[in-house]
Amino acid sequence: MLTGAAALRALHHGPGLPLVLPGPWDAGSAKVFADAGFPALATPSAGVAASLGYADGDVPPDEMFAAIGRIARAVDVPVSADVEDGYGLGAKELVARLAEAGAVGCNLEDGDRASAGLVDAERQAERLAQVRAEAGDALVINARIDTYVRGAGGTAETVRRGRLYAAAGADCVYPILAPPADLAALAAGIGLPLNALATPDGPSPRELGALGASRVTFGPGQQRRAMAAVAAAARELRGV
């Protein structure tokens, strides 16, 4: 029986529907999703940040890894962690901290928060190769491509970056906010399992799978839905 990264990696290549990965923001939500029968989970940085009282991107690394650790310890299914751009950590320390937290997968993005643009693609590929060399097969690397969210290129640039990241050892690619109509071309052009973001007003996970996605995640959407339910309950208590 496969466990850890091997189990998570295998789930990306299963037949039929895409791999649907709910986004727990704390140990309690992780248990709810695991108890519902989901075979793996993927933490969203923005959802975790909100649960800790921070804006997305402002969580100190120690707090983020501690939160990932609480989530991973709460469940018996593989957990992939969104670690944004890696917090400036070297590959060796990043891999070690993910392993210590119990995560067997990670998102690494190529957006440059300082410039609001993109990291040079070749430099990002080199970083991914370093992470792969340190982790071996013990980590499923989901290379997030920020071309669409940064307005810094369309399908051609996304495919170019995706191919570089594939050659560097990424297991899957995540062109966040790619239009659903682009998914098939991206998946065919890059040649790796494709992660699509499900949004409330967009296609369902099943539909995203039919369009070319092998993996579907939700970003902070589920944390925000949960907090909306809390807000509604609070208003009811107040009689508003």
Side-chain angles (χ1 to χ4, degrees):
M1 179 178 178
L2 297 177
T3 60
L8 179 58
R9 188 173 288 112
L11 288 169
H12 290 74
H13 300 277
L17 298 177
L19 171 61
V20 177
L21 295 173
W25 55 93
D26 60 14
S29 59
K31 286 182 66 64
V32 168
F33 291 132
D35 289 347
F38 288 96
L41 307 174
T43 70
S45 65
V48 173
S51 75
L52 296 174
Y54 292 96
D56 187 25
D58 288 348
V59 181
D62 287 350
E63 292 196 43
M64 180 61 77
F65 284 108
I68 294 166
R70 289 190 292 272
I71 289 168
R73 288 193 300 273
V75 297
D76 293 325
V77 299
V79 172
S80 182
D82 182 353
V83 290
E84 305 175 68
D85 61 2
Y87 309 115
L89 301 175
K92 184 174 184 177
E93 183 177 359
L94 178 62
V95 170
R97 297 198 70 171
L98 285 164
E100 181 181 14
V104 297
C106 72
N107 284 8
L108 282 170
E109 64 193 50
D110 63 3
D112 184 342
R113 292 177 184 268
S115 69
L118 296 173
V119 174
D120 176 78
E122 286 75 13
R123 181 155 60 90
Q124 181 70 359
E126 182 180 354
R127 175 160 171 72
L128 292 171
Q130 291 169 350
V131 172
R132 171 57 69 215
E134 286 292 336
D137 292 334
L139 190 69
V140 175
I141 299 174
N142 188 30
R144 193 178 109 172
I145 306 174
D146 281 12
T147 44
Y148 291 98
V149 73
R150 302 285 184 177
T155 304
E157 176 61 12
T158 304
V159 168
R160 184 182 79 87
R161 285 176 174 264
R163 287 177 173 170
L164 285 171
Y165 302 162
D171 293 283
C172 47
V173 292
Y174 180 18
I176 186 170
L177 292 182
D182 287 2
L183 296 179
L186 293 173
I190 296 171
L192 285 182
L194 192 79
N195 187 149
L197 176 69
T199 59
D201 57 348
S204 69
R206 181 185 293 270
E207 291 167 334
L208 289 170
L211 290 168
S214 298
R215 161 175 165 156
V216 175
T217 54
F218 302 85
Q222 290 155 332
Q223 187 268 343
R224 290 172 179 169
R225 285 181 63 186
M227 294 311 297
V230 172
R235 288 193 297 270
E236 182 180 353
L237 286 172
R238 289 280 295 170
V240 176

